[in-house]
PDB file of all heavy atoms in Angstrom:
ATOM      1  N   CYS B  94     -38.896 208.318 -15.320  1.00  0.00           N
ATOM      2  CA  CYS B  94     -40.288 208.091 -15.665  1.00  0.00           C
ATOM      3  C   CYS B  94     -40.452 208.452 -17.232  1.00  0.00           C
ATOM      4  O   CYS B  94     -39.669 209.208 -17.834  1.00  0.00           O
ATOM      5  CB  CYS B  94     -41.369 208.917 -14.939  1.00  0.00           C
ATOM      6  SG  CYS B  94     -41.258 210.676 -15.235  1.00  0.00           S
ATOM      7  N   SER B  95     -41.487 208.018 -17.861  1.00  0.00           N
ATOM      8  CA  SER B  95     -41.874 208.397 -19.114  1.00  0.00           C
ATOM      9  C   SER B  95     -43.467 208.585 -19.219  1.00  0.00           C
ATOM     10  O   SER B  95     -44.163 207.995 -18.420  1.00  0.00           O
ATOM     11  CB  SER B  95     -41.401 207.418 -20.204  1.00  0.00           C
ATOM     12  OG  SER B  95     -42.143 206.142 -20.102  1.00  0.00           O
ATOM     13  N   ALA B  96     -43.784 209.324 -20.185  1.00  0.00           N
ATOM     14  CA  ALA B  96     -45.291 209.644 -20.266  1.00  0.00           C
ATOM     15  C   ALA B  96     -45.566 209.423 -21.734  1.00  0.00           C
ATOM     16  O   ALA B  96     -44.853 209.799 -22.721  1.00  0.00           O
ATOM     17  CB  ALA B  96     -45.532 210.989 -19.950  1.00  0.00           C
ATOM     18  N   ARG B  97     -46.648 208.770 -21.994  1.00  0.00           N
ATOM     19  CA  ARG B  97     -47.117 208.453 -23.358  1.00  0.00           C
ATOM     20  C   ARG B  97     -48.079 209.576 -23.797  1.00  0.00           C
ATOM     21  O   ARG B  97     -49.165 209.855 -23.173  1.00  0.00           O
ATOM     22  CB  ARG B  97     -47.825 207.192 -23.501  1.00  0.00           C
ATOM     23  CG  ARG B  97     -48.010 206.664 -24.967  1.00  0.00           C
ATOM     24  CD  ARG B  97     -49.189 205.840 -25.118  1.00  0.00           C
ATOM     25  NE  ARG B  97     -49.469 204.846 -24.133  1.00  0.00           N
ATOM     26  CZ  ARG B  97     -48.958 203.577 -24.187  1.00  0.00           C
ATOM     27  NH1 ARG B  97     -48.161 203.107 -25.040  1.00  0.00           N
ATOM     28  NH2 ARG B  97     -49.368 202.704 -23.071  1.00  0.00           N
ATOM     29  N   ASP B  98     -47.732 210.121 -25.034  1.00  0.00           N
ATOM     30  CA  ASP B  98     -48.603 211.124 -25.557  1.00  0.00           C
ATOM     31  C   ASP B  98     -49.645 210.548 -26.480  1.00  0.00           C
ATOM     32  O   ASP B  98     -49.501 210.267 -27.670  1.00  0.00           O
ATOM     33  CB  ASP B  98     -47.792 212.102 -26.499  1.00  0.00           C
ATOM     34  CG  ASP B  98     -48.586 213.143 -27.139  1.00  0.00           C
ATOM     35  OD1 ASP B  98     -49.739 213.397 -26.715  1.00  0.00           O
ATOM     36  OD2 ASP B  98     -48.070 213.837 -28.004  1.00  0.00           O
ATOM     37  N   ALA B  99     -50.754 210.029 -25.779  1.00  0.00           N
ATOM     38  CA  ALA B  99     -51.742 209.094 -26.414  1.00  0.00           C
ATOM     39  C   ALA B  99     -52.592 209.966 -27.453  1.00  0.00           C
ATOM     40  O   ALA B  99     -53.120 209.385 -28.307  1.00  0.00           O
ATOM     41  CB  ALA B  99     -52.661 208.582 -25.407  1.00  0.00           C
ATOM     42  N   GLU B 100     -52.735 211.327 -27.107  1.00  0.00           N
ATOM     43  CA  GLU B 100     -53.401 212.122 -28.127  1.00  0.00           C
ATOM     44  C   GLU B 100     -52.687 212.492 -29.340  1.00  0.00           C
ATOM     45  O   GLU B 100     -53.259 213.065 -30.315  1.00  0.00           O
ATOM     46  CB  GLU B 100     -53.855 213.463 -27.427  1.00  0.00           C
ATOM     47  CG  GLU B 100     -54.792 213.181 -26.194  1.00  0.00           C
ATOM     48  CD  GLU B 100     -56.149 212.643 -26.539  1.00  0.00           C
ATOM     49  OE1 GLU B 100     -56.733 213.052 -27.600  1.00  0.00           O
ATOM     50  OE2 GLU B 100     -56.545 211.698 -25.857  1.00  0.00           O
ATOM     51  N   GLY B 101     -51.407 212.302 -29.245  1.00  0.00           N
ATOM     52  CA  GLY B 101     -50.593 212.791 -30.455  1.00  0.00           C
ATOM     53  C   GLY B 101     -49.985 211.699 -31.181  1.00  0.00           C
ATOM     54  O   GLY B 101     -50.625 210.925 -31.812  1.00  0.00           O
ATOM     55  N   THR B 102     -48.744 211.384 -30.941  1.00  0.00           N
ATOM     56  CA  THR B 102     -47.963 210.341 -31.657  1.00  0.00           C
ATOM     57  C   THR B 102     -47.924 209.059 -31.037  1.00  0.00           C
ATOM     58  O   THR B 102     -47.404 208.085 -31.547  1.00  0.00           O
ATOM     59  CB  THR B 102     -46.489 210.867 -31.863  1.00  0.00           C
ATOM     60  OG1 THR B 102     -45.919 210.975 -30.563  1.00  0.00           O
ATOM     61  CG2 THR B 102     -46.412 212.245 -32.492  1.00  0.00           C
ATOM     62  N   ASN B 103     -48.451 208.935 -29.737  1.00  0.00           N
ATOM     63  CA  ASN B 103     -48.368 207.693 -28.951  1.00  0.00           C
ATOM     64  C   ASN B 103     -47.008 207.425 -28.613  1.00  0.00           C
ATOM     65  O   ASN B 103     -46.714 206.280 -28.076  1.00  0.00           O
ATOM     66  CB  ASN B 103     -48.974 206.533 -29.795  1.00  0.00           C
ATOM     67  CG  ASN B 103     -49.390 205.357 -28.752  1.00  0.00           C
ATOM     68  OD1 ASN B 103     -49.970 205.629 -27.776  1.00  0.00           O
ATOM     69  ND2 ASN B 103     -49.039 204.136 -29.154  1.00  0.00           N
ATOM     70  N   GLU B 104     -45.987 208.400 -28.788  1.00  0.00           N
ATOM     71  CA  GLU B 104     -44.723 208.009 -28.393  1.00  0.00           C
ATOM     72  C   GLU B 104     -44.559 208.256 -26.835  1.00  0.00           C
ATOM     73  O   GLU B 104     -45.327 208.941 -26.233  1.00  0.00           O
ATOM     74  CB  GLU B 104     -43.680 208.921 -29.101  1.00  0.00           C
ATOM     75  CG  GLU B 104     -43.583 208.768 -30.579  1.00  0.00           C
ATOM     76  CD  GLU B 104     -43.078 207.307 -30.793  1.00  0.00           C
ATOM     77  OE1 GLU B 104     -42.256 206.775 -30.107  1.00  0.00           O
ATOM     78  OE2 GLU B 104     -43.657 206.708 -31.780  1.00  0.00           O
ATOM     79  N   GLN B 105     -43.444 207.722 -26.305  1.00  0.00           N
ATOM     80  CA  GLN B 105     -43.157 207.792 -24.904  1.00  0.00           C
ATOM     81  C   GLN B 105     -42.066 208.908 -24.795  1.00  0.00           C
ATOM     82  O   GLN B 105     -40.957 208.774 -25.539  1.00  0.00           O
ATOM     83  CB  GLN B 105     -42.615 206.481 -24.190  1.00  0.00           C
ATOM     84  CG  GLN B 105     -43.708 205.616 -23.923  1.00  0.00           C
ATOM     85  CD  GLN B 105     -43.150 204.485 -23.225  1.00  0.00           C
ATOM     86  OE1 GLN B 105     -42.247 204.559 -22.291  1.00  0.00           O
ATOM     87  NE2 GLN B 105     -43.709 203.285 -23.344  1.00  0.00           N
ATOM     88  N   PHE B 106     -42.306 209.838 -23.962  1.00  0.00           N
ATOM     89  CA  PHE B 106     -41.303 210.973 -23.644  1.00  0.00           C
ATOM     90  C   PHE B 106     -40.728 210.744 -22.228  1.00  0.00           C
ATOM     91  O   PHE B 106     -41.462 210.552 -21.323  1.00  0.00           O
ATOM     92  CB  PHE B 106     -41.874 212.243 -23.953  1.00  0.00           C
ATOM     93  CG  PHE B 106     -42.310 212.507 -25.272  1.00  0.00           C
ATOM     94  CD1 PHE B 106     -43.627 212.160 -25.710  1.00  0.00           C
ATOM     95  CD2 PHE B 106     -41.341 212.958 -26.284  1.00  0.00           C
ATOM     96  CE1 PHE B 106     -44.000 212.513 -27.013  1.00  0.00           C
ATOM     97  CE2 PHE B 106     -41.717 213.068 -27.659  1.00  0.00           C
ATOM     98  CZ  PHE B 106     -43.098 212.809 -28.032  1.00  0.00           C
ATOM     99  N   PHE B 107     -39.384 210.833 -22.090  1.00  0.00           N
ATOM    100  CA  PHE B 107     -38.858 210.507 -20.907  1.00  0.00           C
ATOM    101  C   PHE B 107     -38.514 211.792 -20.100  1.00  0.00           C
ATOM    102  O   PHE B 107     -38.123 212.735 -20.598  1.00  0.00           O
ATOM    103  CB  PHE B 107     -37.611 209.585 -21.080  1.00  0.00           C
ATOM    104  CG  PHE B 107     -37.839 208.238 -21.461  1.00  0.00           C
ATOM    105  CD1 PHE B 107     -38.171 207.852 -22.744  1.00  0.00           C
ATOM    106  CD2 PHE B 107     -37.831 207.262 -20.481  1.00  0.00           C
ATOM    107  CE1 PHE B 107     -38.364 206.582 -23.139  1.00  0.00           C
ATOM    108  CE2 PHE B 107     -38.118 205.914 -20.818  1.00  0.00           C
ATOM    109  CZ  PHE B 107     -38.278 205.574 -22.163  1.00  0.00           C
ATOM    110  N   GLY B 108     -38.618 211.574 -18.700  1.00  0.00           N
ATOM    111  CA  GLY B 108     -38.113 212.573 -17.801  1.00  0.00           C
ATOM    112  C   GLY B 108     -36.674 212.545 -17.706  1.00  0.00           C
ATOM    113  O   GLY B 108     -36.035 211.605 -18.186  1.00  0.00           O
ATOM    114  N   PRO B 109     -36.076 213.609 -16.997  1.00  0.00           N
ATOM    115  CA  PRO B 109     -34.567 213.680 -16.917  1.00  0.00           C
ATOM    116  C   PRO B 109     -34.073 212.724 -15.858  1.00  0.00           C
ATOM    117  O   PRO B 109     -32.847 212.480 -15.710  1.00  0.00           O
ATOM    118  CB  PRO B 109     -34.261 215.034 -16.532  1.00  0.00           C
ATOM    119  CG  PRO B 109     -35.607 215.454 -15.736  1.00  0.00           C
ATOM    120  CD  PRO B 109     -36.759 214.663 -16.474  1.00  0.00           C
ATOM    121  N   GLY B 110     -34.834 212.051 -15.071  1.00  0.00           N
ATOM    122  CA  GLY B 110     -34.401 210.976 -14.074  1.00  0.00           C
ATOM    123  C   GLY B 110     -34.220 211.692 -12.663  1.00  0.00           C
ATOM    124  O   GLY B 110     -34.054 212.940 -12.515  1.00  0.00           O
ATOM    125  N   THR B 111     -34.333 210.856 -11.709  1.00  0.00           N
ATOM    126  CA  THR B 111     -34.030 211.163 -10.250  1.00  0.00           C
ATOM    127  C   THR B 111     -33.089 210.290  -9.693  1.00  0.00           C
ATOM    128  O   THR B 111     -33.199 209.028  -9.742  1.00  0.00           O
ATOM    129  CB  THR B 111     -35.411 211.070  -9.466  1.00  0.00           C
ATOM    130  OG1 THR B 111     -36.319 212.064  -9.953  1.00  0.00           O
ATOM    131  CG2 THR B 111     -35.108 211.415  -7.992  1.00  0.00           C
ATOM    132  N   ARG B 112     -31.930 210.871  -9.239  1.00  0.00           N
ATOM    133  CA  ARG B 112     -30.910 209.988  -8.653  1.00  0.00           C
ATOM    134  C   ARG B 112     -31.199 209.891  -7.036  1.00  0.00           C
ATOM    135  O   ARG B 112     -31.251 210.868  -6.378  1.00  0.00           O
ATOM    136  CB  ARG B 112     -29.541 210.681  -8.681  1.00  0.00           C
ATOM    137  CG  ARG B 112     -28.423 210.003  -8.059  1.00  0.00           C
ATOM    138  CD  ARG B 112     -27.740 208.987  -8.797  1.00  0.00           C
ATOM    139  NE  ARG B 112     -27.420 209.303 -10.185  1.00  0.00           N
ATOM    140  CZ  ARG B 112     -27.242 208.485 -11.131  1.00  0.00           C
ATOM    141  NH1 ARG B 112     -27.342 207.155 -10.789  1.00  0.00           N
ATOM    142  NH2 ARG B 112     -26.910 208.781 -12.327  1.00  0.00           N
ATOM    143  N   LEU B 113     -31.522 208.620  -6.540  1.00  0.00           N
ATOM    144  CA  LEU B 113     -31.884 208.322  -5.230  1.00  0.00           C
ATOM    145  C   LEU B 113     -30.677 207.609  -4.566  1.00  0.00           C
ATOM    146  O   LEU B 113     -30.196 206.577  -5.078  1.00  0.00           O
ATOM    147  CB  LEU B 113     -33.100 207.391  -5.054  1.00  0.00           C
ATOM    148  CG  LEU B 113     -33.301 206.893  -3.689  1.00  0.00           C
ATOM    149  CD1 LEU B 113     -33.672 208.032  -2.738  1.00  0.00           C
ATOM    150  CD2 LEU B 113     -34.492 205.914  -3.712  1.00  0.00           C
ATOM    151  N   THR B 114     -30.131 208.266  -3.461  1.00  0.00           N
ATOM    152  CA  THR B 114     -29.123 207.713  -2.766  1.00  0.00           C
ATOM    153  C   THR B 114     -29.664 207.403  -1.289  1.00  0.00           C
ATOM    154  O   THR B 114     -30.192 208.371  -0.625  1.00  0.00           O
ATOM    155  CB  THR B 114     -27.926 208.531  -2.685  1.00  0.00           C
ATOM    156  OG1 THR B 114     -27.425 208.865  -3.991  1.00  0.00           O
ATOM    157  CG2 THR B 114     -26.737 207.991  -1.884  1.00  0.00           C
ATOM    158  N   VAL B 115     -29.613 206.220  -0.902  1.00  0.00           N
ATOM    159  CA  VAL B 115     -30.058 205.974   0.532  1.00  0.00           C
ATOM    160  C   VAL B 115     -28.768 205.534   1.381  1.00  0.00           C
ATOM    161  O   VAL B 115     -28.117 204.688   0.975  1.00  0.00           O
ATOM    162  CB  VAL B 115     -31.095 204.632   0.447  1.00  0.00           C
ATOM    163  CG1 VAL B 115     -31.579 204.449   1.874  1.00  0.00           C
ATOM    164  CG2 VAL B 115     -32.145 204.899  -0.491  1.00  0.00           C
ATOM    165  N   LEU B 116     -28.685 206.271   2.442  1.00  0.00           N
ATOM    166  CA  LEU B 116     -27.507 205.937   3.242  1.00  0.00           C
ATOM    167  C   LEU B 116     -27.691 204.977   4.377  1.00  0.00           C
ATOM    168  O   LEU B 116     -28.826 204.678   4.716  1.00  0.00           O
ATOM    169  CB  LEU B 116     -27.174 207.381   3.922  1.00  0.00           C
ATOM    170  CG  LEU B 116     -26.871 208.520   3.055  1.00  0.00           C
ATOM    171  CD1 LEU B 116     -26.635 209.822   3.781  1.00  0.00           C
ATOM    172  CD2 LEU B 116     -25.658 208.263   2.135  1.00  0.00           C
TER     173      LEU B 116
END
Side-chain angles (χ1 to χ4, degrees):
Chain B
C94 74
S95 70
R97 195 209 318 269
D98 179 11
E100 299 292 320
T102 63
N103 199 45
E104 290 306 316
Q105 284 189 36
F106 297 94
F107 286 80
T111 297
R112 174 88 45 202
L113 170 63
T114 303
V115 185
L116 301 176

